[in-house]
Amino acid sequence: MNHKKIMDLSLEGRHALVCGGSRGIGAAAARALAELGARVTLVSRSEESLKRALTELPTASGQRHDRFVADFDKAESLKTSLDSWLERAEPVHILVNNSGGPPGGPAHTAAV
C-alpha cells in the first residue's frame, strides 16, 4: 500500500498583507502568495508603483487584491493610512513585514 501524502499549499481564503510589496523582494513575495491563492494587500509609499504591482498579481483563484499607500518613515501619516485601511479590511492571516532599506553601500558610510 502506498501512503504518499500530497502537501496542500493552497492559501485560498487567506489574506496576506505585504509591506514594501510594490517591487523587489516584497513584490516577489506578493506574487508567490497570490499564485498560492491568497488575496494580497500591497503596502508601499508610492501610489504609482502600487498600481503597477497590483496589475501583476495572479488572480487565477478569483482573488481581488488591494493596496494602500503608507510611508513607514512618517509615523503620523502611517497611523492615518493604517487606521483608514483597517476600518474596511478583512482579517489578515499572513504578514510580510518588509520595507526598502537604506541605499546600498558600505555600512561605515551610512547616515544615521
Side-chain angles (χ1 to χ4, degrees):
M1 186 185 299
N2 188 351
H3 291 287
K4 277 190 194 176
K5 290 190 177 190
I6 298 174
M7 190 174 359
D8 179 9
L9 296 177
S10 174
L11 294 176
E12 288 185 33
R14 301 293 185 200
H15 180 202
L17 179 65
V18 181
C19 302
S22 65
R23 58 190 175 146
I25 293 170
R31 278 190 305 275
L33 291 164
E35 286 172 1
L36 292 171
R39 188 174 90 69
V40 177
T41 298
L42 301 174
V43 184
S44 173
R45 68 183 123 203
S46 167
E47 178 74 29
E48 291 306 312
S49 294
L50 282 170
K51 285 179 182 177
R52 186 196 75 256
L54 200 63
T55 66
E56 297 172 359
L57 292 179
T59 57
S61 297
Q63 311 96 302
R64 288 186 16 220
H65 305 299
D66 195 9
R67 69 182 193 279
F68 77 89
V69 176
D71 187 341
F72 284 69
D73 288 334
K74 298 178 180 168
E76 195 54 43
S77 66
L78 172 62
K79 181 177 179 349
T80 302
S81 295
L82 189 56
D83 286 347
S84 174
W85 179 75
L86 284 170
E87 288 177 8
R88 61 180 172 82
E90 296 176 15
V92 173
H93 305 99
I94 302 163
L95 171 64
V96 178
N97 190 14
N98 166 66
S99 67
H108 70 279
T109 64
V112 177

